[in-house]
Amino acid sequence: MTSGAWFGSITPPEPRRTAPGPGRAPSPASPTPAAPRRPGHRNDGDHDFPAHPPYPTRSLPDHSHDGPSAVSADARRPDGSRRALRIGLGGPVGSGKTATVAALCRALRESLSLAVVTNDIYTREDAEFLLREAVLPPERITAVETGACPHTAIRDDISANLEAVEDLEDEVGPLDLILVESGGDNLTATFSKGLVDAQIFVIDVAGGDDIPRKGGPGVTTADLLVVNKTDLAPYVGSDLARMAADVKAQRAELPVVFQSLRSEPGVTDVADWVRDRLAAWTA
């Protein structure tokens, strides 16, 4: 078993507050966000989060448009131009989502115009990591603080993330691609089709080789499943062949990449999959 091997097509080769809960209406869109915007959207509801001096901040801009507002995941922007492809990355805490986003940015930034939206509950940790790594210019990285379980902001009340991606297209566009990284969640985490056009779900071998067998919508329905950190398998006792068989049983012909970012080919297979999705989007 080598990192980067493909399984699933026989041949190896989804105001800034989310909905508060059932039966209760989401917080009004204004005036909750008080907010420094770069590198992240703030949620000043019941908590006061200090600004991060090393990173530029500013007040929220005017989000009005001359044309009609964008609706859900419409392929066209208000001015009639085609918007960027949006790909969501979800998965459990620590599975390597942010590292995968960083590697994708490095692999694609020379040939594509791209930007990133990260999601965390009470911090801007993932956005700050990407900024420190200088994977993209700072104005192309922004963050949403969900203030609640991560899946609420990518599936239940996507307004903060929709605003973030539309802001990026207004400010640094035209863009080819926007990566939307969810905060760490469980195996049921999926993105709303109103937010992203395709979803990558990232798990890792250190979480246990029974994760694919346990299934869940993230594992079984994501457009691409990434089994990350294959280099750790010998140290944590994970059986990659067993994981590959379980993935095949759960996903049938849906694509899977076994990946280690510590060795070649690294993120190459995922980057190729993204390029294929973008080619189909722009065809």
Side-chain angles (χ1 to χ4, degrees), residues 158-181:
I158 62 173
S159 57
N161 274 294
L162 272 179
E163 184 178 35
V165 297
E166 289 171 357
D167 286 353
L168 284 168
E169 294 219 63
D170 287 342
E171 295 164 13
V172 299
L175 294 170
D176 299 311
L177 174 68
I178 299 178
L179 301 175
V180 181
E181 181 195 350

Side-chain angles (χ1 to χ4, degrees), residues 15-33 43 45 146-148 152-153 155-160:
R16 309 230 186 276
R17 275 197 175 278
T18 55
R24 296 180 61 189
S27 302
S30 175
T32 301
N43 182 328
T146 66
T152 59
R155 185 179 66 214
D156 303 325
D157 179 2
I158 62 173
S159 57

Side-chain angles (χ1 to χ4, degrees), residues 34-278:
R37 220 338 225 113
R38 293 285 182 255
H41 293 244
R42 286 188 57 176
N43 182 328
D44 288 344
D46 300 322
H47 303 274
D48 182 21
F49 301 106
H52 296 260
Y55 306 105
T57 60
R58 62 175 174 79
S59 298
L60 286 171
D62 177 3
H63 303 301
S64 60
H65 302 283
D66 294 330
S69 297
V71 178
S72 187
D74 287 347
R76 298 287 172 182
R77 303 192 65 230
D79 63 4
S81 62
R82 193 169 188 84
R83 64 163 173 80
L85 176 70
R86 302 171 188 164
I87 295 182
L89 289 92
V93 173
S95 61
K97 298 182 297 299
T98 309
T100 299
V101 168
L104 283 172
C105 289
R106 295 186 186 102
L108 300 171
R109 63 191 178 190
E110 297 301 321
S111 58
L112 299 177
S113 177
L114 70 156
V116 175
V117 177
T118 67
N119 282 244
D120 280 298
I121 299 177
Y122 292 133
T123 70
R124 305 183 188 94
E125 185 72 24
D126 292 341
E128 291 173 0
F129 171 82
L130 297 175
L131 286 165
R132 287 194 303 271
E133 293 293 306
V135 298
L136 292 175
E139 64 272 16
R140 290 175 177 260
I141 300 170
T142 192
V144 171
E145 291 178 15
T146 66
C149 294
H151 64 264
T152 59
I154 64 168
R155 185 179 66 214
D156 303 325
D157 179 2
I158 62 173
S159 57
N161 274 294
L162 272 179
E163 184 178 35
V165 297
E166 289 171 357
D167 286 353
L168 284 168
E169 294 219 63
D170 287 342
E171 295 164 13
V172 299
L175 294 170
D176 299 311
L177 174 68
I178 299 178
L179 301 175
V180 181
E181 181 195 350
S182 171
D185 213 320
N186 55 40
L187 300 179
T188 66
T190 54
F191 284 78
S192 166
K193 293 297 185 182
L195 177 59
V196 302
D197 306 297
Q199 174 176 348
I200 299 171
F201 197 76
V202 183
I203 61 175
D204 72 289
V205 302
D209 59 9
D210 58 345
I211 295 297
R213 190 162 64 253
K214 291 180 177 180
V219 170
T220 60
T221 67
D223 300 284
L224 176 66
L225 178 67
V226 175
V227 182
N228 199 23
K229 306 181 186 179
T230 55
D231 53 299
L232 295 181
Y235 306 103
V236 297
S238 289
D239 184 337
L240 294 180
R242 176 62 183 270
M243 293 184 80
D246 290 340
V247 161
K248 176 66 176 176
Q250 291 284 358
R251 291 178 57 81
E253 301 305 312
L254 289 174
V256 181
V257 170
F258 280 65
Q259 164 184 283
S260 169
L261 296 177
R262 298 289 185 180
S263 59
E264 295 298 331
V267 81
T268 299
D269 288 334
V270 181
D272 288 345
W273 180 88
V274 170
R275 291 188 186 97
D276 288 344
R277 295 302 296 233
L278 185 59

